[in-house]
Amino acid sequence: MIDDAAADAAASGAVGGVLDPEHPQGTFVLEPGVMAPLVARIATSEGSGMHRSMCPFTGAPLVTFPVSSAEDVAASAVRARVAQRTWARVPIRERAGVLQRLGRIVLERQSEALDLIQLETGKTRRAAFEEVGDIAQVARHYAVRGERYLASRRVRGIVPLLAGVQVHRRPVGVVGAISPWNYPLVLALSEALPALLAGNAVLLKPDPQTTLTALWAAEALDDAGLPAGLFQVVAGGPDVGEALIDQVDHIAFTGSTATGRKVAARAGERLIGATLELGGKNALYVTDDVDVDTAVPGIVRACFSNAGQLCVSTERLVVHEAVAEEFVAKFVRAVRNLHLSPALDYSAEVGSLTSAAQLDKVTAHVDDALARGARVLAGGVHRADVGPYFYAPTVLDDVPAQAVVMREETFGPVVTITRVDCDEEAVAVMNDSEYGLHAAVWSRDTARARRVAVRVETGSVGINDGYTMSWGSVSAPQGGWKASGLGGRHGSASISGVTRQQTVVTSRGARFGATLDNLYGLGGETPSRVITTALEAMRRLRMS
Ligand code: NAD
C-alpha cells in the first residue's frame, strides 16, 4: 500500500527508491512491487488499524501499512513456539548455515536495503552502509563462533572424581525484540541472529517509522533458508510492544531510557529476562598531546555520523586547555564544511533528522543552551532549505552545567565543548552523567589513554576511535552502565541473554556405595568429621 503520489510516480517507471532529479525536494518513490510483498509479511488481521510513515527527506507519505493487535501478537507467539520446538533440534551447523547465507544476501542485495534505510530514516548512504556492513559481520561472527559460545562445559564438582558436572545452555524459547528507528537493519537483526542461532524463535516489533526495513530483514532471512514462523514482524507502537512483552520468554529492548524502565518493569512482573540497550550522553576527551590535524576528521565523525542519531555518538567534547585553541578552531572549520544532502548516493556527509519530534528536541536543547548564555561556534540552525528535518551540525561553547544539553541525551547533531586542565578533571567531567554507554579518549600516548579509559564509567571506551572500531569489534560485549542499560550485545553477551543454563551433576561413586548420602548414613558425628578433614585437605591443596 502506498500513497497516490508515490504510486503515480512508481507507475511512471521509477525503480526502488529514487530522488526525482526534477524535484530535489519532491517525492521519493518506492515501487509497489518492492513494497507490497514486504507489507504482506506483517503479522496482522483485518481491522487492526493502519499506520502511515513518511519520508524524512521530504516529509511526504512513504507507506501505509496495517498494524498488529494484541491478538495478532499472541497468535504469532503460538506459531513461533511450534516452529521453535523443531528448530531447537536442528543441528547447530545447519542453523549457522542460515546466518552464513544471510550475511551474503545482505551484501549482495545491499542496494535494496540502502534505499529502504535511507528513505525511512533520512540518513546518508554512508551511514546506511554501516548497517549493511555491521549485519554481514555479526552474521558471520555468530555463524563461526556461535557453536563455541553454546558448547556445554565441564566444571569441577564438590568431590573431585566422584562428581561429574556439566553445564549446558538451552534456548529460552521465544525472544521478543523491540527496536528504535535510528539503525533499523542493525537493530532488527543484531539481537535476533544470536537468538536464532541458539535455537530460539524471534518476534520483532520495529519502530513504526522503520517497519519496511525490518520486513526486508525478514524477507532476507526467508531467502537464507530460515524455516517459517521463526522470525516474525509485528507492527505498531507502544501498545504492540507491551503485548509482545506479555508473550515472550526474554525481551531484548533497544530504545530510550524512559521506555527501558517501563519495559523492565513489565518484564519483571512476568519474571522474564530483559536486555536493555538504552540512551547515552557520551563524552570524548581530547588530551594535550594530540596531533590536531590527524584527530579532527575522526572526532567530527564521532560527533556527527547519522546526524548524531546514534546511541554511541559523542555529545560532549572534553578538551585539554593546552590544545583547546588550536583544536576548537580546526574542529569548527571542519564542521562548517560538512556537506548536507538528501542524496541517495555517497555524496552526502550529513543526512536528515528522522522526524519532526527529533527536530523539535534538537531545537529545544540548542535554544535552552543559548538562553542560558551558551555561544554557537557552528550551526545552531534548522536547514529547511535542504529538507524539512535537516539541522546544521552544531558546536556549542560556554554552556552552563545546568543546560539541558549538558545532561539529557540530544540524539542530534549537537556537541558541547568543556575545557579541562588535567586527566583527573577530564575523568570527573566524563563521569558526571546519569548515563554510562560509551566514551572516547584521543591521545598520542595510548598507555595514558588506557589509564584514563579504565577510570571512565561506561560500558565501552574507544581510544583514537569514535565508535567504529569499538562497535565493530563484535567479539567483545557492548552494553551500557548506569542509566544506559542492563546486559549487553555482541560476543557471548548476546548468547547469555537468550539461553538458560542447566547444570547436570552425576554422582559417579553410586555403584561403589560412595555417595554423600551414604556418608550421612554413617550417623553421629562421623560425617561431619570426614567432611571437615576433606575441606581442610582441599584448602591445603588450594582446590576451589
Ligand atoms: P523509544 O524508547 O521511544 O522507542 C523504542 C521502541 O520502543 C519503539 O519500537 C517503540 O514503539 C517502543 N515502545 C515505546 N514505548 C513502549 C512501551 N511502553 N512498551 C514497549 N515498547 C515501547 O526510543 P526512540 O526515542 O525511538 O529511540 C532512540 C533511543 O534509542 C535513544 O535514546 C538511543 O540512545 C537509544 N538507542 C540505544 C542503543 C544502544 O545500543 N544502547 C542503540 C540504538 C538506540
Side-chain angles (χ1 to χ4, degrees):
M1 272 166 255
I2 56 172
D3 75 286
D4 294 343
D8 290 348
S12 69
V15 176
V18 290
L19 178 60
D20 181 345
E22 298 295 316
H23 305 95
Q25 294 289 317
T27 309
F28 284 90
V29 294
L30 280 169
E31 196 186 77
V34 172
M35 210 128 49
L38 292 181
V39 169
R41 288 179 172 273
I42 297 174
T44 183
S45 51
E46 285 283 310
S48 301
M50 304 294 279
H51 179 85
R52 188 164 78 170
S53 67
M54 55 84 210
C55 175
F57 285 141
T58 60
L62 183 67
V63 59
T64 304
F65 57 83
V67 297
S68 311
S69 63
E71 292 73 33
D72 296 329
V73 176
S76 298
V78 170
R79 206 168 150 235
R81 284 193 192 286
V82 172
Q84 189 268 334
R85 278 196 279 276
T86 310
W87 178 242
R89 290 196 298 270
V90 169
I92 187 161
R93 298 224 165 126
E94 276 180 44
R95 302 200 300 253
V98 172
L99 269 62
Q100 288 281 21
R101 290 191 290 280
L102 177 87
R104 273 204 305 275
I105 288 170
V106 167
L107 288 177
E108 281 164 13
R109 289 170 39 194
Q110 60 179 275
S111 61
E112 291 171 25
L114 295 175
D115 282 353
L116 281 178
I117 294 169
Q118 280 201 275
L119 293 177
E120 288 199 315
T121 62
K123 66 173 64 179
T124 62
R125 199 110 179 138
R126 300 173 192 194
F129 181 76
E130 282 185 344
E131 302 208 42
V132 165
D134 182 78
I135 287 305
Q137 198 194 359
V138 167
R140 199 192 58 231
H141 177 77
Y142 286 104
V144 174
R145 299 278 170 130
E147 188 169 3
R148 233 172 296 168
Y149 290 143
L150 287 163
S152 299
R153 62 199 166 95
R154 288 181 191 284
V155 298
R156 180 177 290 176
I158 179 171
V159 184
L161 302 178
L162 286 186
V165 184
Q166 284 183 306
V167 182
H168 305 291
R169 284 199 177 273
R170 300 267 183 267
V172 292
V174 178
V175 172
I178 298 178
S179 57
W181 41 265
N182 66 324
Y183 274 74
L185 185 64
V186 166
L187 300 172
L189 289 177
S190 75
E191 305 271 28
L193 295 181
L196 290 167
L197 183 90
N200 296 288
V202 175
L203 295 184
L204 168 68
K205 192 211 83 65
D207 189 276
Q209 175 60 28
T210 49
T211 301
L212 287 178
T213 304
L215 293 166
W216 186 88
E219 185 181 82
L221 272 168
D222 228 5
D223 294 347
L226 186 73
L230 289 170
F231 183 86
Q232 300 173 59
V233 177
V234 294
D239 51 331
V240 182
E242 289 174 0
L244 180 66
I245 300 166
D246 292 346
Q247 296 295 333
V248 296
D249 305 306
H250 178 90
I251 188 77
F253 173 79
T254 308
S256 64
T257 296
T259 308
R261 292 186 207 277
K262 293 184 198 161
V263 168
R266 202 166 182 112
E269 280 296 315
R270 293 200 55 233
L271 287 180
I272 59 166
T275 315
L276 306 173
E277 308 285 346
L278 311 176
K281 190 73 199 173
N282 312 308
L284 184 156
Y285 174 36
V286 183
T287 65
D288 52 347
D289 69 3
V290 288
D291 178 300
V292 171
D293 293 319
T294 316
V296 161
I299 297 177
V300 169
R301 247 180 67 72
C303 301
F304 299 109
S305 284
N306 205 27
Q309 299 169 120
L310 168 63
C311 58
V312 287
S313 190
T314 296
E315 298 200 352
R316 296 182 294 147
L317 280 180
V318 181
V319 186
H320 198 290
E321 191 70 64
V323 78
E325 195 178 334
E326 182 192 358
F327 173 79
V328 172
K330 290 181 173 168
F331 178 72
V332 166
R333 197 175 313 141
V335 172
R336 286 194 186 135
N337 284 336
L338 286 169
H339 175 55
L340 279 67
S341 160
L344 291 193
D345 59 30
Y346 284 94
S347 59
E349 291 175 296
V350 179
S352 176
L353 292 171
T354 298
S355 63
Q358 281 298 109
L359 177 64
D360 290 348
K361 187 165 162 207
V362 169
T363 309
H365 280 206
V366 173
D367 288 352
D368 172 78
L370 298 187
R372 293 173 192 266
R375 282 187 306 130
V376 174
L377 300 185
V381 287
H382 175 200
R383 290 291 308 272
D385 55 316
V386 190
Y389 307 129
F390 277 80
Y391 196 90
T394 298
V395 184
L396 298 177
D397 204 355
D398 298 331
V399 190
Q402 319 84 282
V404 176
V405 74
M406 295 299 277
R407 315 220 70 82
E408 291 181 17
E409 182 184 46
T410 306
F411 219 52
V414 181
V415 67
T416 59
I417 292 179
T418 305
R419 290 168 181 75
V420 293
D421 279 327
C422 59
D423 294 355
E424 190 70 26
E425 191 184 356
V427 169
V429 170
M430 292 168 96
N431 288 342
D432 183 18
S433 170
E434 67 160 324
Y435 294 107
L437 188 58
H438 183 67
V441 183
W442 236 270
S443 173
R444 266 198 278 213
D445 180 350
T446 50
R448 169 187 175 186
R450 279 197 293 272
R451 284 196 297 277
V452 172
V454 295
R455 297 177 60 200
V456 177
E457 296 162 353
T458 56
S460 54
V461 186
I463 293 176
N464 299 322
D465 169 63
Y467 66 89
T468 317
M469 290 178 77
S470 53
W471 180 276
S473 299
V474 295
S475 300
Q478 175 85 46
W481 293 8
K482 301 178 355 189
S484 291
L486 274 182
R489 61 159 63 87
H490 291 168
S492 59
S494 286
I495 297 286
S496 308
V498 296
T499 50
R500 295 187 179 106
Q501 296 199 65
Q502 183 184 46
T503 299
V504 177
V505 183
T506 309
S507 176
R508 295 205 184 102
R511 59 187 157 132
F512 310 110
T515 65
L516 275 183
D517 294 330
N518 293 136
L519 180 66
Y520 281 112
L522 295 175
E525 215 182 313
T526 310
S528 308
R529 283 215 206 100
V530 172
I531 292 170
T532 303
T533 308
L535 288 172
E536 189 57 31
M538 286 167 76
R539 187 181 64 79
R540 286 211 195 98
L541 293 168
R542 295 173 170 270
M543 287 167 66
S544 55

